[in-house]
Amino acid sequence: MSTLPTELEGIMTPRVCLDWGGLMKGPEVKESSRSLGDLRGIFRDVAQASAADPARIVYRVQSWNPVNTGVPGGLFWGVTTIEPGKVGDEYFMTHGHFHADRTRAEYYGTVSGEGMLIRMDDERKTWGERMSAGSLHYIEGRHAHRVANTGDTPLIFWACWPSDAGHDYATIKTHGFGSRLMDKNGRPELIPNA
Ligand code: S6P
Ligand code: ZN
């Protein structure tokens, strides 16, 4: 993990660059991906999920962590690219999480594509916010968040969150969200999760 130089003088070049297609470039950028095999448990149609190619990539994440995870007061930046696709009638989506620290909020901003930000409060009330190029979403710290790609092209969005937010994936893995975003006759609809 790199830290800022202790003595700064003169003119520095940027450490990381955003290209306006959405992605980040620079030696400090970390990359990860989630395949259908990684995400099998989160889709409703277990048979379709098992029949699909486990190596197929559902989404990729780039992130820049200029400070160590857990450091108070820092900020992280991320770019998520969700491929178009479905498992049964359910759109490709991120795993979704609460922040471990429920006071830590986050911004999402859509670069390109069409999608839905799915949010859930601590009483499992679940709702969607449409995402399209330019849409900006403020996610309160106590809300779980997941994004689904409802279009035919990759959905790319930026995220900015506190370095001490942490991630609680286990609650979503165990209980899911209160509703699922399904394709109903070609339109996205939130269906209560049985
Ligand atoms: C981090 C932020 C995003 C997600 C990314 C993947 O707080 O919300 O960078 O990590 O969109 O989603 P997930 O649910 O797999 O972390
Ligand atoms: Zn988050």
Side-chain angles (χ1 to χ4, degrees):
M1 174 67 54
S2 74
T3 53
L4 281 169
T6 50
E7 289 174 25
L8 291 175
E9 208 178 327
I11 297 167
M12 298 177 68
T13 52
R15 293 163 67 189
V16 172
C17 287
L18 288 169
D19 82 42
W20 294 112
L23 301 185
M24 279 192 283
K25 291 191 191 79
E28 297 174 53
V29 176
K30 295 193 294 190
E31 314 222 1
S32 63
S33 63
R34 294 280 179 274
S35 66
L36 276 173
D38 298 325
L39 296 166
R40 193 170 279 147
I42 70 168
F43 292 100
R44 185 173 73 177
D45 193 329
V46 176
Q48 289 277 355
S50 304
D53 175 5
R56 187 168 166 192
I57 298 296
V58 177
Y59 60 98
R60 295 181 170 80
V61 181
Q62 290 186 314
S63 63
W64 182 28
N65 302 3
V67 297
N68 285 321
T69 298
V71 168
L75 291 170
F76 293 159
W77 187 271
V79 184
T80 303
T81 304
I82 310 178
E83 296 300 325
K86 278 180 270 188
V87 174
D89 291 331
E90 195 167 12
Y91 299 99
F92 275 13
M93 59 187 175
T94 59
H95 184 285
H97 56 266
F98 283 97
H99 288 167
D101 184 334
R102 303 288 207 266
T103 71
R104 296 299 190 254
E106 179 162 13
Y107 276 116
Y108 278 1
T110 313
V111 178
S112 59
E114 298 285 332
M116 194 77 74
L117 166 60
I118 302 160
R119 294 169 63 158
M120 176 174 73
D121 69 14
D122 38 20
E123 291 173 340
R124 297 186 56 74
K125 186 183 149 212
T126 303
W127 66 100
E129 293 175 14
R130 287 185 191 282
M131 298 175 76
S132 61
S135 68
L136 186 61
H137 308 267
Y138 178 74
I139 304 166
E140 288 164 272
R142 66 181 193 282
H143 292 160
H145 40 288
R146 153 184 287 170
V147 173
N149 183 346
T150 59
D152 300 326
T153 59
L155 171 66
I156 303 178
F157 63 93
W158 286 329
C160 183
W161 69 101
S163 44
D164 61 352
H167 291 95
D168 167 12
Y169 290 101
T171 303
I172 299 302
K173 197 184 280 286
T174 309
H175 302 291
F177 279 64
S179 297
R180 293 177 173 280
L181 194 73
M182 310 296 288
D183 178 339
K184 287 281 167 189
N185 305 314
R187 292 167 56 116
E189 245 181 63
L190 276 172
I191 308 293
N193 194 8

